[in-house]
Amino acid sequence: MENLILCHPRASSSQDPNQAIIVKCEVPQTIPNDHVLLEVDRFGFSTNNMTYQALGEASHFRYFEFHHAPDAEGVSSTTHGVTPVWGFGTIIKSTHPKVHTGERVYGYFAPARYLLLPVSSDANKYAFFVPRPHLPPDRRPYNQITRCAEDPLYNPSPTAEDLTMLYRPLFWTSFWCEDWLNSSNYKGGSTHILISSASSKTAFCLAYLIRRRNSLQGSSTRRVIGLTSTKNIAFTKRLALYDDAFDYESFDTSLVGDLARGHWIYVDVTGNDALNARVRDHFRACGDSELVTCIALGLTNVSASTTEPSSATSWGSGLEAPQGGDSKLEHFFMPEWLSIRKQQLSVSAITQMQKEAWTRLMSDCGTWGVSLRRVCGPGQVKAAYEEIVKRGLAPEEAFVWSLWGETRVYGSTAKL
């Protein structure tokens, strides 16, 4: 069988990292013990995946070390990287005694037709895990392959699977970040949360969850303010998830007086040092406001040529960074906080929390105006990637890609 894998040159290779390459290679006829061979049906692709690619070689993230590029003509694991994607697939071969052929699974896959993965010994009825001893232990959530038959969040309809690939990876980052904030009573009772890159899914899911917390607590004192680019301000306001939204160019002249009064948390989703400095300077100049903390949550403002991210990501969770002021810069990394919560809560309690939140999200997200575009076939996927590189990805757009043909993936009558 022939495999197809979507690869990109590494920034360190001196080649253009925005060049998409569909690599052909053979699928092994036999597989080693304790391995599975997956047929990857389809996978999500959004701005989040562009971030994975940009940070593929960054020392803290190392996204290119989850799946290795095959050795083929002009391609190798030292010159090219494979950007991880969240997707669905079916096990077509298994040499692991606890994992079976025919199972539907969801996980952090390579953008490929087929994927060969080792399986560790700690498989359970809900999931199995890919051993990656070269990566830190807190990457374990990315090593988990979810067994759909026992997943309480799984819905087998094509549309539900598409929404899962779109929202599930981002939503849990937002969900556990809000849980982390709530565990400290929002850093001692802060009344305002300012979120940059407000049109991104990570940001507006966080805004959604903060508003949900307000509703559950019967509180209207905690306000959520979004910062975004001028071209995305209309979409951000249409979401109706922020109490107010400002563009980057004018926020420091708009967010003044009574609007600025109070205790603030700034959540940085852009990873833009210049913007972060402006935010700190703005609140330092406002006499009736206090910037309690700055939190680095994401990195939407990176390019494929990035070899190391901004200064925010060199700081571990909760550590102070020398920024020329008294504000903390904290980096929230979901696996680190989740490992703490697993010591504090039972597995059943965490499962119930997530099920309730996910069910509510699936009910509410249809009003947000985000459209899914399905792209099937290797040539079409390559062209779609090149289109994103050329014109960018609008916040209301998200892709579901497959290296198979459309009829093979969805059937001829499938519609969103």
Side-chain angles (χ1 to χ4, degrees), residues 172-385:
W172 295 128
T173 297
S174 305
F175 176 84
W176 289 112
C177 182
E178 193 283 328
D179 179 75
W180 175 64
L181 288 171
N182 186 62
S183 71
S184 67
N185 188 27
Y186 281 77
K187 304 296 181 179
S190 297
T191 53
H192 295 73
I193 296 87
L194 181 67
I195 307 176
S196 67
S197 195
S199 64
S200 70
K201 296 173 188 65
T202 300
F204 69 67
C205 282
L206 177 60
Y208 163 76
L209 289 160
I210 294 171
R211 290 173 70 92
R212 282 285 302 154
R213 181 77 66 180
N214 288 348
S215 177
L216 291 171
Q217 294 178 344
S219 171
S220 59
T221 59
R222 192 180 296 130
R223 291 171 52 82
V224 188
I225 313 298
L227 291 182
T228 190
S229 62
T230 302
K231 64 185 177 65
N232 292 336
I233 193 74
F235 170 78
T236 302
K237 290 184 175 181
R238 284 199 306 271
L239 289 168
L241 297 174
Y242 296 94
D243 293 289
D244 215 333
F246 302 100
D247 60 60
Y248 296 131
E249 290 75 15
S250 63
F251 81 88
D252 38 11
T253 57
S254 303
L255 196 57
V256 294
D258 289 343
L259 288 177
R261 187 172 290 115
H263 292 79
W264 288 76
I265 293 171
Y266 171 51
V267 181
D268 167 37
V269 186
T270 66
N272 185 310
D273 286 339
L275 172 64
N276 296 345
R278 283 180 61 203
V279 169
R280 288 192 299 272
D281 290 345
H282 174 70
F283 284 105
R284 195 176 291 123
C286 292
D288 294 330
S289 65
E290 178 187 356
L291 185 58
V292 177
T293 190
C294 302
I295 298 164
L297 178 60
L299 290 163
T300 61
N301 188 52
V302 292
S303 67
S305 60
T306 301
T307 55
E308 287 294 335
S310 70
S311 60
T313 57
S314 63
W315 298 93
S317 179
L319 298 180
E320 291 191 22
Q323 296 294 324
D326 57 0
S327 293
K328 283 185 177 181
L329 181 65
E330 303 177 82
H331 178 69
F332 177 80
F333 189 51
M334 185 267 291
E336 295 171 355
W337 175 243
L338 184 56
S339 67
I340 293 172
R341 291 300 266 164
K342 285 181 177 178
Q343 298 173 23
Q344 299 172 340
L345 299 171
S346 67
V347 172
S348 60
I350 290 175
T351 300
Q352 186 60 31
M353 286 170 61
Q354 294 192 147
K355 184 176 182 180
E356 291 175 358
W358 184 255
T359 300
R360 173 66 70 169
L361 174 73
M362 291 294 97
S363 173
D364 293 343
C365 69
T367 65
W368 296 345
V370 177
S371 61
L372 280 166
R373 179 178 162 192
R374 292 172 171 172
V375 178
C376 299
Q380 291 86 342
V381 165
K382 186 175 184 293
Y385 176 84

Side-chain angles (χ1 to χ4, degrees), residues 37 40 67 133 149 232 246 266 282 343 388 402 406:
L37 180 64
V40 181
H67 304 286
N232 292 336
F246 302 100
Y266 171 51
H282 174 70
Q343 298 173 23
I388 291 173
S402 174
E406 184 172 7

